[in-house]
Amino acid sequence: MTQAPVQKGSVRFDAVEKRFGSVVAIRSLSFDIEPGTLVTLLGPSGCGKTTTLRMLAGLEQPTAGRILIGGRDVTNLPANERDVSMVFQSYALFPHMTVGENVAYGLRSGGSSKREAMERGKDGLALVGLEGFAERLPSELSGGQQQRVAVARALVLEPQVLLLDEPLSNLDARLRRHVRTEIRELQQRLGFTAVYVTHDQEEALAVSDRIIVMQAGEIAQAGTPRELYETPASSFIADFIGEANVVPCEVARRADGGLEARLGGLRHPIRMPTAREGAAKLAIRPNAITLGEPGPDRLDGRVTSAAYLGDHIEYEVETTHGRLFVVDSAIENVRPVASDIGIGLHERGVALIPA
Ligand SMILES: Nc1ncnc2c1ncn2[C@@H]1O[C@H](COP(=O)(O)OP(=O)(O)O)[C@@H](O)[C@H]1O
Ligand SMILES: [Mg+2]
């Protein structure tokens, strides 16, 4: 009999369910994570991200289903036998220990000698650009530096999988962008598997190989950042990943056999192989809309608000298909409020959402 090769760093959730009493936190979750990739669990607060991560870490027990790490069934293993380590939102550094002692702590409790633990701890600090900080106390570091200590402390254990739960949420906006880039660079350089939790779609797009979008304890859609942005499977995804105007349309066949979406006089080619004729919706990115003169091949609209924002103008436009939010980079040509306009669409930034 041949066995499937065991891939160090792979993760599998197989029909995992989690209830807290009568609350169903996770309905039935199945997914695979390839070794060496960074996969993000993304979704609104309460959708089950932390519960999923804690089940992977062994801090919660699934009610049903199986969890595999590196091909091994770990469902019933305690946290310290799973070969994962977690970076918490709050960093959870020990305030009375030096930075070096914090990073060495897990190695010490894993049985390493003090000398070895401190040596490897130093290497860990170097990885995150904090060599020379070993003697300081956590309180003597900035928030961003403390977060890097927490990452170093998790990485020195050389886990198969690094788990990060909203690791940037205690940092200010400017630092967040910087630290997320550092985490991604480190992950790509060292090639470890990471499961990253956030409710911030921009952060997810920026750091991930793949994103699993969760909604009420289930997967709403999973894919690469580009797949989710360009081919959202539902209105929820279209509006959650980036911003979108979701409007009703009619899909009809053209004379040449191809499909097109119709909105008023406007026609937009549909290339999605699974598309069918009939009622559907279009998800239109705010910057995929062009504003011009009214005409027979356009959707009629009237400007209800216009705001100049330096490098673009934001409009709200009332149409027979609903109100549209428009981001227009043509700042030299401002459309005044109450003017009648004809709406067109760019080729990109428009996705069909099947009915
Ligand atoms: N220990 C718990 N006891 C009861 N309900 C819980 C517990 N932990 C989480 N939940 C519930 O499970 C759902 C998912 O929570 P959580 O995984 O923390 O969501 P997220 O991290 O996406 O914000 C929520 O409805 C939450 O109230
Ligand atoms: Mg959470």
Side-chain angles (χ1 to χ4, degrees), residues 136-198:
R136 297 213 199 172
L137 288 172
S139 58
E140 296 170 313
L141 302 185
S142 71
Q145 289 170 329
Q146 289 183 38
Q147 184 55 289
R148 276 144 70 186
V149 174
V151 170
R153 181 177 60 178
L155 281 179
V156 293
L157 300 172
E158 298 180 1
Q160 284 194 54
V161 186
L162 184 70
L163 311 177
L164 305 113
D165 190 1
E166 311 245 5
L168 310 183
S169 54
N170 287 333
L171 305 177
D172 66 50
R174 224 155 27 100
L175 250 185
R176 246 179 263 155
R177 186 186 299 266
H178 182 64
V179 176
R180 83 185 183 204
T181 308
E182 283 186 346
I183 290 175
R184 175 59 162 165
E185 277 173 6
L186 197 59
Q187 181 269 330
Q188 289 187 314
R189 181 153 53 87
L190 301 181
F192 56 83
T193 309
V195 186
Y196 190 106
V197 162
T198 182

Side-chain angles (χ1 to χ4, degrees), residues 33-111:
I33 295 177
E34 293 284 320
T37 61
L38 189 156
V39 173
T40 296
L41 304 176
L42 172 69
S45 178
C47 71
K49 306 180 295 294
T50 294
T51 303
T52 302
L53 208 63
R54 288 175 60 82
M55 287 194 289
L56 185 50
L59 303 172
E60 289 299 348
Q61 186 67 18
T63 314
R66 293 193 317 153
I67 297 173
L68 282 75
I69 297 172
R72 184 169 69 134
D73 188 335
V74 299
T75 316
N76 297 309
L77 286 184
N80 61 359
E81 289 175 29
R82 290 195 178 198
D83 204 7
V84 300
S85 47
M86 186 138 162
V87 176
F88 295 92
Q89 192 170 346
S90 59
Y91 319 147
L93 299 178
F94 299 114
H96 57 284
M97 287 186 190
T98 64
V99 163
E101 286 165 347
N102 264 284
V103 176
Y105 180 80
L107 295 165
R108 284 290 278 153
S109 39

Side-chain angles (χ1 to χ4, degrees), residues 137-343:
L137 288 172
S139 58
E140 296 170 313
L141 302 185
S142 71
Q145 289 170 329
Q146 289 183 38
Q147 184 55 289
R148 276 144 70 186
V149 174
V151 170
R153 181 177 60 178
L155 281 179
V156 293
L157 300 172
E158 298 180 1
Q160 284 194 54
V161 186
L162 184 70
L163 311 177
L164 305 113
D165 190 1
E166 311 245 5
L168 310 183
S169 54
N170 287 333
L171 305 177
D172 66 50
R174 224 155 27 100
L175 250 185
R176 246 179 263 155
R177 186 186 299 266
H178 182 64
V179 176
R180 83 185 183 204
T181 308
E182 283 186 346
I183 290 175
R184 175 59 162 165
E185 277 173 6
L186 197 59
Q187 181 269 330
Q188 289 187 314
R189 181 153 53 87
L190 301 181
F192 56 83
T193 309
V195 186
Y196 190 106
V197 162
T198 182
H199 64 273
D200 181 331
Q201 55 92 17
E202 187 194 293
E203 198 176 307
L205 289 174
V207 301
S208 313
D209 291 301
R210 287 177 66 77
I211 300 172
I212 297 172
V213 186
M214 297 177 63
Q215 185 183 21
E218 291 182 290
I219 296 180
Q221 190 177 357
T224 63
R226 185 180 281 266
E227 283 164 355
L228 294 178
Y229 190 84
E230 294 187 354
T231 51
S234 65
S235 315
F236 171 76
I237 299 289
D239 205 39
F240 197 73
I241 307 285
E243 206 169 348
N245 297 285
V246 179
V247 298
C249 70
E250 191 67 26
V251 176
R253 201 160 292 283
R254 292 190 309 240
D256 70 0
L259 291 175
E260 64 185 15
R262 298 181 175 169
L263 287 98
L266 191 58
R267 304 284 181 264
H268 190 80
I270 298 295
R271 305 218 161 75
M272 201 172 152
T274 53
R276 289 162 193 264
E277 289 169 79
K281 287 177 183 162
L282 276 190
I284 305 170
R285 301 295 174 193
N287 62 3
I289 296 171
T290 63
L291 304 181
E293 298 310 310
D297 58 347
R298 302 218 141 209
L299 175 65
D300 293 333
R302 172 168 286 190
V303 174
T304 56
S305 77
Y308 172 82
L309 290 164
D311 61 347
H312 69 273
I313 299 171
E314 291 185 358
Y315 294 99
E316 285 186 322
V317 179
E318 206 60 60
T319 78
T320 49
H321 285 62
R323 176 178 302 193
L324 300 179
F325 172 62
V326 181
V327 170
D328 192 359
S329 55
I331 53 169
E332 62 289 342
N333 188 7
V334 182
R335 310 268 166 189
V337 170
S339 55
D340 288 322
I341 46 155
I343 291 162

Side-chain angles (χ1 to χ4, degrees), residues 111-135:
S112 299
S113 71
K114 177 155 191 194
R115 228 188 89 185
E116 191 200 339
M118 291 307 276
E119 277 308 310
R120 282 173 59 190
K122 274 208 181 110
D123 295 344
L125 285 172
L127 277 180
V128 298
L130 287 178
E131 52 273 273
F133 285 71
E135 301 308 323

